[in-house]
Amino acid sequence: MLDFDALLDSGLFSLGARTRRAVSAYAAFTERFNLTGVSRFAAGMASEGLTLSLAGALVMLALAIPAFRETSDDWLKRTELAVTFLDRYGNTIGERGVKQNDTVPLEDIPDNLIKATLATEDRRFYEHWGIDVAGTFRAVVTNARAGGVRQGGSSLSQQLAKNLFLSNERTIERKIKEAFLAIWLEARLTKSQILKLYLDRAYLGGGAYGVDAAARYYFGKSVREVNLAEAAMMAGLFKAPSKYAPHVNLPAARARASTVLDNLVDAGFMTEGQVFGARRNPATPVDRRDDDVPDFYLDYAFGEVKKLVDQLPPSVVERNFIVRTGLDPNIQKVADAALETSLAEFGRDYKVKQGGIVVMEPNGTLRTMVGGRDYGESQFNRATDALRQPGSSFKPFVYTVALMNGFKPSTIVQDAPICLGNWCPQNYGRSYMGSITLKTALQHSLNTVAVRLAEKFGRKKIVDLAHQMGIRTQLPISAPLPLGAAEVTLFDMTTAYSVFANGGKSVYPHAVVEMRVGNGEVVWRFDRDAPKSVQIIPTQQLYDINDMLNNVVENGTGRRARLVNSKVAGKTGTTNAYRDAWFMGFTGNYVAGVWFGNDDYAVMNKMTGGTLPAMTWQKVMAYAHQGIEIKPIPGVTTPIPKLDEAPATMTVPGLETERPITLSPRAAERLAALERMLKEAEVRLTDATPATAPQPAARAAGPAVPGAAPMPAPVQRN
């Protein structure tokens, strides 16, 4: 052991001596390169710069790799999704997606439009290599001086890269990807090809993609025929099509066109004399104020189509679809008018500026959607995307859980003060009723009873039931949950209430009823391909809760929603500080939800769900229930009571007060089946007919859509 210890000590001493000699030799060697003064500072900065540049390059490369993956699979020939939408009767109501039209060559596009586009979007387009460094620096300086965004720094190539491969999210990561892809495009395409793609793919508002579609939509002519004033107006749309669309805000569109003319002069592309005529005679677009396009509905339906396309079998390679929806155009018009009328008449008194309406059939077929007061002003869909507190309209989930766990409408519950820690909920009138039945508690929307029920049966059961019934948002399990403190969407609430009207069975909410490709082949149909319903609420408990919700309308807070020809069940909802007001209601025929509030969560002037929401609900449903076969609410069989006064019906310009008699769902299903039989017979006849024989004449009935399969003759409604 002593020998080993001596060997270890001597070895460590020798290693240390050799290390010191090596360090001294290295120090002596590096002394030859020792720098002082300015040279030392410059070398240090160069070294640090090289290190940072290498690190930055590695980071940017890591960010660019996901972007380059988007360029696989022959991206240049990849077709975009294009959908033509029909209402429930087969009438065309609108389009969404990109119908690529590259039939107009670049040389046929007017020089005025090309110059106006380049002067406004990228003046140095033919000089840079994908990223306009000088233009970006100029935009940064201009925006800094203005204290906001006044100029964009993206080149035309960068904008094309974003349109082709990326989303509109404003993040540093996206900008880096955009820059790499712009360089990638410049390396693979000529400048003319990039410009042509940009003019063909850019969104210019009004559902128009590309300059030719925009020219036809806004001016009713081919892009070959647009003049300088029209070209300036179109070039102004690239920046913000929803803001400067002439059919939405003509003064703003003309002001933007004037800016484009200034850009033409500033860039040296034209003289002031050349643009003088366009200034004096600005473009006048086609008047589309009478176009009743259900944009909120179409936006939702298009999102649904995107999801369905991803689920189609690989054999379906078509990207152009004809989609029949569940839209009822007349109810849609009445709902739009009802919302606007309510806000115009009572908005100032209640200090409310926005609202939303959703109407479904009990099976989840979306009949109407109003996502806000003005789509042209704001495309944000408050029916599907706004997360708001439902207030007491959430309580039916609480009471349903109680019924499913042994309670009955006649069960006695206590309405008395209760505290959970430091939280002591109170009723709306700050009074208590003592021992009452469960039915009476829901009729008066008592907060203390809902809290006691949640404490007794567990909040998790309430959350689970709400999710099963159609609420998709996260519902935090907290003390105020039974009072509607969690945030939900109007669309989800309407879906959940549809379960009550659908016999307690699950509901698959859908705007799309049927999808066809261009040759008429049906690739998706709701009754064939949608998930099947399952029983969520047992029959007896469903009858009990529906009877209780009917009592809310007959004798409780929802009396303003009563109809003269149909029983109504529903629930009002009002949140703390009057930030949200709801009425959720249903009949045997329809389920509808109405919400009022402000986008900035501003407090309203004591609006409750039983006031304007219930009144607006009644206006829409009074019209919707005219001329149809009235169905009973499951479990509600009592006679329809006579009202003190007949509710007012909704009058819309161009529509009669009386709703015309329409097809029943059973009749519509039979017509659809007959249509399929005729289509199959036509295919068999075509297959059996010799090639030289004359072909049978095509049926006249159906939508006037190029490539669409014949549909049943539309049912005309006033």
Side-chain angles (χ1 to χ4, degrees):
M1 293 296 296
L2 290 175
D3 290 342
F4 176 76
D5 181 66
L7 180 62
L8 180 62
D9 288 344
S10 62
L12 291 175
F13 178 80
S14 300
L15 178 61
R18 287 195 296 270
T19 301
R20 286 193 296 272
R21 287 194 297 270
V23 170
S24 298
Y26 176 75
F29 175 78
T30 57
E31 281 293 332
R32 304 175 186 177
F33 307 99
N34 188 32
L35 300 176
T36 59
V38 177
S39 300
R40 181 184 181 89
F41 176 77
M45 291 298 295
S47 177
E48 294 295 332
L50 182 62
T51 302
L52 294 176
S53 298
L54 180 60
L58 292 175
V59 171
M60 293 183 68
L61 181 60
L63 292 174
I65 289 175
F68 288 141
R69 292 176 183 153
E70 300 288 341
T71 62
S72 60
D73 301 329
D74 199 5
W75 60 274
L76 191 57
K77 296 182 180 179
R78 184 173 55 195
T79 57
E80 300 290 341
L81 185 64
V83 183
T84 298
F85 287 102
L86 315 177
D87 64 17
R88 63 177 302 201
Y89 303 109
N91 302 304
T92 302
I93 54 176
E95 298 178 342
R96 285 293 186 272
V98 182
K99 284 195 172 180
Q100 297 179 13
N101 180 15
D102 54 2
T103 59
V104 181
L106 185 63
E107 54 268 20
D108 286 356
I109 296 177
D111 188 59
N112 291 338
L113 178 57
I114 294 177
K115 288 181 177 179
T117 301
L118 295 179
T120 304
E121 298 299 316
D122 190 355
R123 298 180 186 179
R124 292 165 44 84
F125 172 67
Y126 286 101
E127 301 173 16
H128 62 68
W129 36 270
I131 301 175
D132 185 5
V133 178
T136 301
F137 180 76
R138 182 181 64 251
V140 170
V141 173
T142 302
N143 294 337
R145 291 177 177 175
V149 178
R150 293 292 181 271
Q151 289 186 8
S154 296
S155 67
L156 192 145
S157 301
Q158 289 175 271
Q159 295 180 51
L160 177 61
K162 182 187 69 174
N163 293 339
L164 290 176
F165 306 114
L166 306 174
S167 65
N168 290 323
E169 60 178 347
R170 297 193 174 190
T171 62
I172 298 297
E173 180 181 359
R174 195 217 77 190
K175 295 296 292 185
I176 294 175
K177 291 179 180 179
E178 182 182 286
F180 273 92
L181 289 171
I183 299 173
W184 186 87
L185 287 172
E186 292 274 351
R188 284 161 175 77
L189 302 176
T190 65
K191 288 288 187 178
S192 295
Q193 289 175 321
I194 292 175
L195 179 58
K196 180 66 166 59
L197 278 173
Y198 182 76
L199 295 175
D200 286 343
R201 303 290 182 91
Y203 179 63
L204 296 175
Y209 286 82
V211 292
D212 188 61
R216 296 181 185 278
Y217 181 78
Y218 292 120
F219 305 113
K221 61 177 70 173
S222 169
V223 69
R224 295 180 174 93
E225 303 169 2
V226 298
N227 56 37
L228 177 58
E230 294 165 343
M233 186 171 286
M234 290 174 58
L237 295 172
F238 289 103
K239 179 179 180 181
S242 61
K243 181 178 179 181
Y244 298 117
H247 71 298
V248 175
N249 191 338
L250 183 57
R254 285 179 169 171
R256 176 65 176 166
S258 179
T259 302
V260 173
L261 295 175
D262 292 338
N263 293 336
L264 280 168
V265 177
D266 294 341
F269 294 163
M270 287 187 176
T271 65
E272 184 61 40
Q274 289 175 303
V275 303
F276 180 75
R279 291 190 191 275
R280 291 290 302 272
N281 300 286
T284 301
V286 175
D287 188 359
R288 297 192 177 275
R289 289 175 295 180
D290 295 332
D291 289 358
D292 295 315
V293 181
D295 287 303
F296 286 115
Y297 190 104
L298 293 180
D299 286 350
Y300 175 79
F302 186 55
E304 187 176 319
V305 169
K306 289 180 179 178
K307 296 177 182 178
L308 292 176
V309 168
D310 292 337
Q311 301 172 12
L312 295 177
S315 58
V316 180
V317 297
E318 182 70 51
R319 299 292 289 176
N320 293 332
F321 295 93
I322 301 167
V323 173
R324 188 196 295 271
T325 69
L327 177 77
D328 190 312
N330 282 347
I331 298 180
Q332 178 70 44
K333 292 177 183 178
V334 169
D336 285 327
L339 181 67
E340 177 57 34
T341 300
S342 296
L343 289 172
E345 291 182 0
F346 302 102
R348 179 172 297 181
D349 294 337
Y350 281 115
K351 297 182 179 179
V352 59
K353 298 180 180 179
Q354 277 295 350
I357 301 174
V358 174
V359 180
M360 291 182 181
E361 284 193 356
N363 69 349
T365 303
L366 184 62
R367 288 287 182 238
T368 292
M369 176 180 287
V370 183
R373 190 173 188 175
D374 187 348
Y375 183 86
E377 180 180 332
S378 170
Q379 290 79 51
F380 178 71
N381 193 331
R382 294 155 188 83
T384 59
D385 300 329
L387 293 174
R388 310 294 295 224
Q389 293 183 345
S392 294
S393 63
F394 188 82
K395 289 177 182 176
F397 306 131
V398 181
Y399 282 76
T400 302
V401 168
L403 293 171
M404 293 172 64
N405 285 273
F407 272 35
K408 298 184 179 303
S410 58
T411 301
I412 301 299
V413 293
Q414 292 296 318
D415 177 28
I418 181 175
C419 289
L420 301 179
N422 296 326
W423 182 61
C424 301
Q426 295 180 329
N427 294 325
Y428 179 73
R430 298 183 182 275
S431 60
Y432 304 96
M433 301 179 67
S435 298
I436 54 174
T437 64
L438 194 69
K439 185 175 182 178
T440 303
L442 184 59
Q443 172 187 331
H444 294 282
S445 193
L446 301 176
N447 291 336
T448 60
V449 174
V451 173
R452 290 179 188 276
L453 293 176
E455 282 293 297
K456 181 176 180 62
F457 297 108
R459 299 180 187 88
K460 188 177 186 305
K461 290 183 178 180
I462 299 171
V463 170
D464 291 342
L465 178 65
H467 283 156
Q468 290 177 39
M469 292 178 67
I471 303 297
R472 293 173 294 178
T473 54
Q474 184 178 1
L475 301 174
I477 299 178
S478 61
L481 171 73
L483 305 186
E487 294 180 330
V488 297
T489 66
L490 177 61
F491 184 83
D492 284 357
M493 286 291 286
T494 309
T495 301
Y497 270 70
S498 296
V499 175
F500 296 130
N502 197 39
K505 297 180 180 179
S506 62
V507 170
Y508 179 79
H510 60 284
V512 177
V513 176
E514 186 178 80
M515 288 177 58
R516 296 173 181 259
V517 292
N519 63 5
E521 179 187 357
V522 177
V523 295
W524 191 90
R525 198 170 67 234
F526 170 74
D527 58 356
R528 183 189 69 190
D529 303 312
K532 303 304 178 183
S533 296
V534 297
Q535 195 74 32
I536 297 177
I537 306 174
T539 301
Q540 185 56 53
Q541 285 69 39
L542 173 76
Y543 290 172
D544 290 341
I545 189 63
N546 282 355
D547 180 69
M548 293 167 65
L549 291 172
N550 171 244
N551 183 57
V552 171
V553 176
E554 300 294 345
N555 306 301
T557 57
R559 287 188 292 271
R560 286 188 174 94
R562 294 179 295 173
L563 300 175
V564 295
N565 60 344
S566 177
K567 300 289 288 185
V568 177
K571 185 69 185 74
T572 58
T574 310
T575 60
N576 287 339
Y578 301 99
R579 299 183 189 277
D580 300 276
W582 303 65
F583 184 79
M584 305 299 307
F586 58 94
T587 66
N589 297 84
Y590 293 107
V591 185
V594 177
W595 164 84
F596 281 98
N598 294 306
D599 288 340
D600 59 357
Y601 292 89
V603 176
M604 296 181 290
N605 185 22
K606 297 184 179 179
M607 181 194 291
T608 64
T611 56
L612 198 57
M615 294 161 58
T616 305
W617 189 96
Q618 191 277 333
K619 289 179 181 179
V620 178
M621 290 296 99
Y623 178 86
H625 284 78
Q626 295 177 18
I628 64 174
E629 176 188 353
I630 302 299
K631 298 180 180 179
I633 298 174
V636 179
T637 58
T638 55
I640 301 172
K642 291 185 178 181
L643 305 186
D644 299 334
E645 58 181 11
T649 56
M650 191 68 204
T651 302
V652 179
L655 288 179
E656 294 182 357
T657 302
E658 292 292 331
R659 185 183 185 213
I661 297 176
T662 59
L663 292 175
S664 66
R666 184 178 181 184
E669 291 175 2
R670 290 186 174 182
L671 280 179
L674 178 61
E675 176 198 359
R676 290 192 291 270
M677 292 172 60
L678 290 173
K679 181 64 181 176
E680 293 173 0
E682 183 182 25
V683 172
R684 292 174 182 174
L685 181 61
T686 302
D687 294 340
T689 302
T692 58
Q695 296 299 316
R699 285 175 288 153
V705 180
M711 296 279 187
V715 177
Q716 298 298 326
R717 306 176 68 188
N718 295 330

